[in-house]
């Protein structure tokens, strides 16, 4: 059974780092075509942040390139998002997602079957 749950969120100051984790995949990481992170800031629409394909290739939103790193932790069967040099505009609820089906647009939320409830990341200036 797939029940995604995020952890690692919390308040952080601008310039700081944070690592989010997502567990509860049920299937092993290589079973998923794509695993991804999305976020939704206050008054904003949900946006794709980072995604990782079955073959390990990654996609990032322009706003986080060079600062965020998505990875699969095979031993723990988890998905991680390492966030560095955080900015106030990174403040959002962060969600992990996964798809057992082929995905054409990795940073589009409509492509994913499974979602976690989210974890809050407030970044203060």
């Amino acid at each position: 059974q797939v029940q995604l749950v995020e952890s690692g969120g919390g308040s952080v100051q601008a310039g700081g780092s944070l690592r989010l984790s997502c567990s509860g995949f049920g299937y092993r990481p290589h079973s998923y075509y794509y695993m991804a992170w999305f976020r939704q800031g206050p008054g904003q629409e949900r946006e794709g942040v980072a995604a990782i394909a079955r073959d390990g290739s990654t996609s990032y939103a322009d706003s986080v390139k060079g600062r965020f790193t998505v990875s699969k932790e095979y031993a723990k069967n988890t998905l991680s998002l390492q966030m560095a040099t955080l900015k106030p505009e990174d403040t959002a609820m962060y969600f992990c997602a996964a798809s057992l089906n082929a995905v054409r647009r990795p940073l589009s939320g409509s492509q994913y079957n499974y979602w976690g409830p989210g974890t809050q990341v407030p970044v203060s200036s």
Side-chain angles (χ1 to χ4, degrees):
Q1 186 177 359
V2 180
Q3 279 192 309
L4 304 184
V5 59
E6 304 87 348
S7 61
S11 298
V12 61
Q13 287 192 327
S17 300
L18 205 60
R19 186 179 183 90
L20 304 182
S21 292
C22 180
S23 61
F25 286 95
Y27 304 102
R28 295 198 177 275
H30 64 257
S31 298
Y32 295 91
Y33 271 89
Y34 265 96
M35 302 160 80
W37 289 95
F38 291 79
R39 68 184 181 186
Q40 187 167 16
Q44 298 178 358
E45 292 188 356
R46 183 180 63 193
E47 64 169 340
V49 175
I52 185 165
R54 178 183 285 177
D55 65 0
S57 58
T58 56
S59 304
Y60 292 95
D62 288 343
S63 58
V64 305
K65 279 181 183 175
R67 300 189 298 122
F68 290 14
T69 303
V70 60
S71 61
K72 291 187 266 190
E73 311 282 343
Y74 288 96
K76 298 178 182 179
N77 202 18
T78 59
L79 178 72
S80 295
L81 183 68
Q82 180 67 47
M83 305 185 292
T85 320
L86 283 160
K87 305 175 181 180
E89 50 263 44
D90 294 318
T91 293
M93 181 77 85
Y94 283 74
F95 304 88
C96 65
S99 176
L100 291 171
N101 304 314
V103 170
R104 284 193 171 187
R105 292 172 292 152
L107 297 182
S108 171
S110 63
Q111 309 278 296
Y112 291 84
N113 314 107
Y114 301 103
W115 291 85
T119 185
Q120 194 71 251
V121 178
V123 182
S124 58
S125 56

